[in-house]
Amino acid sequence: MIELEGVPELIDPVMVAAFEGWNDAGDAASAAVAHLDREWKGQVFAALDAEDYYDFQVNRPTVFLDGGVRKITWPTTRLSVVRVGDADGKGHPRDLVLVRGVEPSMRWRSFCNELLGFAHELGVEMVVVLGALLGDTPHTRPVPVSAVTSDADLAARLDLEESRYEGPTGIVGILQEACTHAGVPAVSLWAAVPHYVSQPPNPKASLALINRLEDLLGVRIPLGELSEDARAWQLGVDQLAAEDSEVAEYVQSLEEARDTAELPEASGEAIAREFERYLRRRDPQAGPGVATEGGLADGRDGGYLRDPAGGRTRPARPVSKEPRDAGSADGTEPASTGTTDAEGGTAPSTTPADTAGPAAAAAPDASPAPDAADTPDLSDGPDAAGAEKPADGPADKDTGTGR
């Protein structure tokens, strides 16, 4: 059973989720949700039981010292809530439920049902899942972000792309499909990360996801130091590329292909969207709301927050339908880089240097990724490509992938 005694009624809540692992190239998606949680001072109110969903030989727990006492952090998925005090610039607040964790190793259908149980109890109106994939995109151009949904009506209403993807999928695709079966509107946002510089972090891709989320929800999101981090990241890659003529020529070829493809689409719509975002951030009345340490921004008591490690959680109202096979769960399927522990620390990358597979099949209407042997790579070490094939272990268990 889900225990949410004392949780105040949320206002127009939207669930925003990201998962480290296969769907998180450059850690861009998980870093974006971590940014929201940090800027709005989110308070964790629940966590899924790690024993139910994780293979600890794949996602190992970490040991740390707290005042000389050894403690263990287990890989898991945590939920927190934040209040945006002036979401629309007109004084109307809105709540966000942030979900951040590690892609589960097993029991994906039960995992999605448990998250949907929380969404149902909290009155969530829409679920937005963030992901990142490796693609043929130059680091010198704006990061492409695709917004896709399996719901034809939602696609028409919000001007989104309707998913036509077929192939291997990750937890992002399974969760989106579970939402569709449960009647919960769901959208996935995918950022394309340059495959030749795929090692995390990638603040430029995180910034692109946040900008697209801001447009989707109509909420002003504080950027903090993310813009500066994105500029510093690009300057660093520029310097590395300038030192290698082969890489510089390859980047130039990507730039020419990108500019040629996008020239007809340099329309007023993109300009208008960017101008609206500028006005939102410029408006002094549109400041972000903050969920404070002691409660929410409107002064409500924060005593409803419970110890996330205290007991197992179960949905009070299980979802009646299981997700379909992973045929067209989302518009794209990424390859990812190394994982991050539940507290945000980076774990050693376990990904093979295999770049073409999921990334090439992933991007909608994108050309196949070049052969890794023919592609310059600015990353270091045997895991430089950063692409992670779906693990055979989870796929052979009850993962809901249909494989």
Side-chain angles (χ1 to χ4, degrees):
M1 295 290 290
I2 293 179
E3 301 175 2
L4 296 177
E5 290 84 356
V7 176
E9 183 176 354
L10 302 183
I11 300 175
D12 302 330
V14 172
M15 180 176 283
V16 181
F19 303 94
E20 301 156 11
W22 200 71
N23 300 132
D24 194 21
D27 289 354
S30 57
V33 173
H35 174 84
L36 299 178
D37 189 76
R38 182 171 57 252
E39 290 296 320
W40 278 321
K41 298 180 174 60
Q43 292 291 307
V44 175
F45 66 87
L48 307 190
D49 191 339
E51 290 282 348
D52 289 343
Y53 305 115
Y54 295 101
D55 180 346
F56 298 138
Q57 291 182 323
V58 176
N59 296 291
R60 291 187 178 275
T62 57
V63 178
F64 67 99
L65 293 176
D66 182 11
V69 179
R70 292 173 62 85
K71 294 185 177 180
I72 297 177
T73 298
W74 297 93
T76 188
T77 295
R78 291 182 170 85
L79 293 85
S80 59
V81 63
V82 299
R83 166 149 297 183
V84 185
D86 188 9
D88 57 1
K90 300 178 181 178
H92 299 148
R94 185 172 202 174
D95 292 315
L96 298 183
V97 179
L98 305 180
V99 179
R100 182 181 174 220
V102 182
E103 182 178 61
S105 306
M106 61 194 79
R107 301 186 183 92
W108 285 15
R109 287 173 290 196
S110 298
F111 179 87
C112 293
N113 283 348
E114 189 160 355
L115 289 180
L116 285 173
F118 280 107
H120 176 76
E121 291 297 323
L122 295 169
V124 166
E125 298 180 348
M126 182 169 66
V127 174
V128 182
V129 193
L130 308 185
L133 57 94
L134 298 180
D136 294 337
T137 180
H139 72 277
T140 55
R141 296 293 184 265
V143 176
V145 177
S146 302
V148 296
T149 179
S150 300
D151 186 330
D153 294 335
L154 187 64
R157 187 167 73 252
L158 297 181
D159 192 24
L160 306 173
E161 179 183 349
E162 189 175 355
S163 174
R164 297 295 181 212
Y165 171 79
E166 295 181 339
T169 190
I171 193 61
V172 171
I174 299 300
L175 179 57
Q176 181 171 335
E177 196 69 4
C179 290
T180 300
H181 278 269
V184 178
V187 178
S188 61
L189 303 180
W190 290 98
V193 172
H195 63 86
Y196 59 89
V197 56
S198 56
Q199 292 288 66
N202 191 319
K204 186 174 181 179
S206 298
L207 178 60
L209 284 169
I210 286 176
N211 285 338
R212 189 63 182 89
L213 179 66
E214 188 178 59
D215 294 337
L216 179 67
L217 301 182
V219 173
R220 177 182 177 271
I221 299 176
L223 298 181
E225 299 179 355
L226 191 56
S227 296
E228 279 300 320
D229 292 342
R231 280 191 286 269
W233 178 86
Q234 180 165 328
L235 287 174
V237 179
D238 286 342
Q239 293 173 358
L240 291 174
E243 296 172 358
D244 189 318
S245 59
E246 184 182 0
V247 172
E249 291 175 4
Y250 180 69
V251 172
Q252 183 178 1
S253 69
L254 291 179
E255 291 173 340
E256 293 172 353
R258 172 79 176 272
D259 295 343
T260 300
E262 290 191 347
L263 186 60
E265 299 182 7
S267 63
E269 181 180 351
I271 297 174
R273 184 166 57 245
E274 196 65 30
F275 184 63
E276 289 174 358
R277 185 184 300 125
Y278 165 76
L279 291 179
R280 265 200 308 270
R281 289 179 177 157
R282 184 172 178 269
D283 185 359
Q285 300 300 322
V290 173
T292 63
E293 294 286 342
L296 297 179
D298 59 357
R300 292 180 300 170
D301 182 76
Y304 69 90
L305 303 174
R306 66 178 177 82
D307 181 2
R312 301 158 72 99
T313 55
R314 281 288 178 269
R317 305 179 188 177
V319 179
S320 59
K321 297 183 179 180
E322 299 289 352
R324 295 198 302 264
D325 289 344
S328 59
D330 46 15
T332 54
E333 285 306 324
S336 77
T337 55
T339 60
T340 308
D341 65 28
E343 297 298 322
T346 302
S349 173
T350 58
T351 60
D354 197 9
T355 58
D365 303 325
S367 58
D371 193 314
D374 300 328
T375 305
D377 198 326
L378 297 179
S379 305
D380 296 323
D383 296 332
E388 181 176 11
K389 295 185 294 185
D392 292 337
D396 294 335
K397 299 177 184 177
D398 184 15
T399 63
T401 61
R403 296 177 59 196

